[in-house]
Amino acid sequence: MMNCFLIGIFCTCIFVASSVAISSSSSSHFKNLKGLLRRNVRSPVNERIDCIYMVSRDGDYWYQSDGAQTGVCGLYLIGDPDQLVEIEFNYFDISCADDGLLNFLDGWELGGQLFPSSDDHALNIDMRYQTFCGVNKPKKLLISSQNVAMIQYRIPETGQGFTLNARFLTNPKPCNVIARMPSGKYSIKNWGRRINCSFSIIYPENVRVQSMAVGASKYAGVLSQLQQENIHSQCEKRGKSDYAEFKTGDGLDPSLMGYNFQMCGVTNAPSRSLEIPLNCGNSVVRLVSSGKFYNYIDFQFNMLQPEDTTKDNFCTL
């Protein structure tokens, strides 16, 4: 019950408690998160953190309450796409009796939405949250399943707080990812597994597919696959169990996004016909895999300019 209580407090309080004046609107959620990403290019490696803070480098980070902060704060941790986040507490003093607590989230939460979504994460929601309070530091290492993790904390008692060491570990088979940059190239692979993987970019984007093999026979040779040019849209309606999705909305959770375009098949010819504009505050490329095929999709992504974006009704669904 404490986990659910923390989530509810976080959704309503974190945006008024932020040192960067995060507001409660959907567009402001992403505007300020983008600001944190840009500001964190060279984050310090031994630093006191603010109520809302983001880190992407190995180091020691600490927080001490001044007694003025009564809401819930958030520490966002983000690594490269092929990394996991590891947290170890070196010092911990958060009074349970004074309604203080700290929560580790395997993923990110913003505006009440989670990434990865429940559809894309191997653990159920209860296992993704771990809550702590007291004077004994958590003994075990806390490790995320993807390149992002989050610490939520409420520490009303003056002088109390925590110190943690953050490390970013190599992930040989990345799946779910939040991009640190608004432009670049990436390849999503299922490694032959039955798994859903999402690549999330917290900007409106133009995505250009360079090559893909989704739903192609895993016994076909590489050359024969690359010689095929057979792309289908709206694959799920065609009865296909493997497909790539292109989604956009103004929240973190891909399952709640209002726009969804699907592709499946094989191509190795970059073409303007395979460009997908995603106009809302968050853009997602998602690979859905049944485990019957070795799927992959290679793509470029570039941030859309304001004059190229239009706000559609599905953005806020």
Side-chain angles (χ1 to χ4, degrees):
M1 293 303 292
M2 184 174 290
N3 286 347
C4 297
F5 177 69
L6 178 59
I7 296 171
I9 292 292
F10 178 73
C11 294
T12 58
C13 294
I14 187 171
F15 303 110
V16 297
S18 168
S19 60
V20 290
I22 295 180
S23 71
S24 59
S25 67
S26 295
S27 60
S28 295
H29 291 173
F30 284 105
K31 180 180 179 181
N32 288 281
L33 198 56
K34 293 168 190 174
L36 287 172
L37 280 168
R38 289 192 297 268
R39 198 175 66 181
N40 191 54
V41 173
R42 292 185 178 181
S43 60
V45 295
N46 191 339
E47 180 74 3
R48 176 173 181 167
I49 63 177
D50 298 324
C51 183
I52 303 296
Y53 208 76
M54 184 178 292
V55 301
S56 60
R57 295 177 60 188
D58 293 359
D60 295 318
Y61 300 92
W62 56 278
Y63 179 83
Q64 185 177 53
S65 174
D66 60 7
Q69 181 59 54
T70 58
V72 176
C73 299
L75 172 62
Y76 293 85
L77 300 106
I78 180 169
D80 292 333
D82 61 349
Q83 291 182 320
L84 303 174
V85 184
E86 179 187 84
I87 298 294
E88 181 178 15
F89 285 93
N90 299 322
Y91 171 78
F92 195 92
D93 181 16
I94 302 175
S95 174
C96 305
D98 294 323
D99 292 328
L101 47 80
L102 179 144
N103 207 36
F104 170 80
L105 169 61
D106 186 1
W108 272 10
E109 180 184 26
L110 186 67
Q113 295 190 22
L114 295 180
F115 182 90
S117 69
S118 298
D119 296 335
D120 296 345
H121 205 286
L123 302 177
N124 63 44
I125 191 66
D126 291 333
M127 296 181 66
R128 292 174 64 182
Y129 281 92
Q130 299 184 56
T131 302
F132 308 94
C133 64
V135 295
N136 295 320
K137 66 179 182 180
K139 295 181 179 179
K140 62 179 179 179
L141 297 176
L142 303 173
I143 302 177
S144 69
S145 304
Q146 61 289 309
N147 77 319
V148 293
M150 188 174 186
I151 302 292
Q152 301 168 315
Y153 48 97
R154 180 177 60 204
I155 310 175
E157 186 67 26
T158 302
Q160 294 187 354
F162 60 87
T163 301
L164 62 81
N165 178 262
R167 290 180 292 273
F168 294 89
L169 313 177
T170 300
N171 181 6
K173 294 183 178 180
C175 179
N176 295 301
V177 171
I178 291 182
R180 291 178 56 188
M181 296 298 185
S183 300
K185 299 179 180 180
Y186 195 68
S187 178
I188 306 177
K189 302 175 182 179
N190 75 326
W191 309 96
R193 299 174 294 178
R194 180 178 181 178
I195 195 170
N196 301 330
C197 299
S198 292
F199 185 84
S200 177
I201 316 126
I202 308 177
Y203 295 91
E205 296 284 332
N206 188 68
V207 176
R208 181 174 183 177
V209 177
Q210 295 183 299
S211 65
M212 63 180 287
V214 180
S217 173
K218 63 182 179 180
Y219 299 109
V222 173
L223 181 61
S224 63
Q225 288 190 38
L226 296 182
Q227 290 174 342
Q228 297 181 55
E229 289 292 336
N230 189 15
I231 296 295
H232 303 286
S233 62
Q234 304 312 318
C235 308
E236 194 173 15
K237 292 182 179 179
R238 296 171 178 264
K240 305 292 185 180
S241 58
D242 296 63
Y243 48 87
E245 288 185 306
F246 303 85
K247 314 188 79 171
T248 188
D250 278 343
L252 274 184
D253 191 335
S255 68
L256 300 178
M257 292 180 173
Y259 177 82
N260 177 14
F261 178 76
Q262 297 178 354
M263 290 171 52
C264 54
V266 179
T267 183
N268 194 44
S271 168
R272 292 190 63 84
S273 64
L274 295 184
E275 289 189 3
I276 303 98
L278 302 172
N279 293 326
C280 303
N282 193 22
S283 306
V284 170
V285 180
R286 182 170 181 259
L287 183 63
V288 177
S289 301
S290 65
K292 299 177 183 178
F293 309 100
Y294 193 102
N295 297 325
Y296 78 90
I297 177 169
D298 298 331
F299 57 92
Q300 291 180 321
F301 56 99
N302 293 284
M303 184 172 62
L304 289 173
Q305 299 304 311
E307 60 269 20
D308 299 325
T309 62
T310 58
K311 273 294 182 180
D312 298 291
N313 292 333
F314 54 71
C315 287
T316 55
L317 290 179

